[in-house]
Structure formats: C-alpha cells, structure tokens
Amino acid sequence: PSILGVLARSFSIMFSHAARESINKSDIVIYPDVEGYRWGDFHLGKELICRGEEACLKKIEEIEKLISGEPPAVGSRQSAVRDRQFAAANETFERLNDANESNSSNGLMAES
C-alpha cells in the first residue's frame, strides 16, 4: 500500500469514530449525495453546495418540527436511523478515499 493509502485509511478510522459521536448527539443528520465526487473537489464547491441544499430540503419537515419545539423521534427507531445514517456517511467517506487513492499520481508510493 502507498503512504497516502495508509494515511487515508488512518483518517478514515478517525473520521468514523468522530462521526459516530457527532451523529449520536444530533437531532437531525443530513447527508448530501456526493456520489462521483472526490474529497479534494474543492473547485466544484457550487455543485456540492447545491447537493447540500437538496439534501436539506428533503429534511425540511423534520427541521421545522424541531424548530417548533416538537420533540425528535425517540427510542430504538431513532437509534436505528442514526446507525443507518452513520453507515451511509462512512461508506461515502470510504468511496471518496478509494477514488482519491486510485487517482493519486503524485509519486509518494511506498514499496510493498
């Protein structure tokens, strides 16, 4: 494996742990569809912002309920939803890392 691959995997593991903590503390979690994008696609910011807006609009009813003071879903249903959301986020992050690693051509490859 490459040095960058090892670093990417290390960051992926750290992200997974941090993401789970954040998700468990959140009332609403929004995941934009970033299929086909790489983690370094900063030049596509406007497109990615639009993806985030679309994802937010899908959750607008939940957001409005929360703002109005209506309590969020509780119990095992909420835990199951958060677990699915976490799995989706982690899968997306892994795909981005894999795409970046396969497209990396900066010469920092380590001998295996």
Side-chain angles (χ1 to χ4, degrees):
S2 71
I3 292 170
L4 290 178
V6 172
L7 286 172
R9 183 67 186 143
S10 297
F11 283 120
S12 175
I13 292 167
M14 289 186 326
F15 170 79
S16 296
H17 290 287
R20 181 170 291 280
E21 288 298 313
S22 293
I23 289 168
N24 286 335
K25 294 176 184 177
S26 301
D27 293 316
I28 297 172
V29 181
I30 300 171
Y31 294 106
D33 178 10
V34 292
E35 182 86 31
Y37 293 95
R38 296 187 333 216
W39 67 270
D41 285 341
F42 299 110
H43 62 286
L44 300 173
K46 288 183 181 181
E47 289 178 33
L48 291 166
I49 289 169
C50 286
R51 295 285 178 115
E53 289 172 345
E54 291 168 4
C56 186
L57 289 173
K58 291 178 184 176
K59 296 277 190 164
I60 198 71
E61 192 173 307
E62 289 180 60
I63 294 168
E64 288 171 343
K65 285 180 182 179
L66 189 64
I67 290 171
S68 72
E70 194 173 317
V74 293
S76 61
R77 180 180 178 277
Q78 185 179 24
S79 297
V81 168
R82 286 185 177 161
D83 286 344
R84 284 193 308 271
Q85 291 173 334
F86 173 78
N90 197 45
E91 182 180 320
T92 298
F93 189 75
E94 290 292 329
R95 279 196 315 267
L96 292 172
N97 277 337
D98 292 344
N100 186 58
E101 185 174 317
S102 68
N103 292 323
S104 178
S105 60
N106 60 14
L108 293 177
M109 305 298 278
E111 296 293 331
S112 319

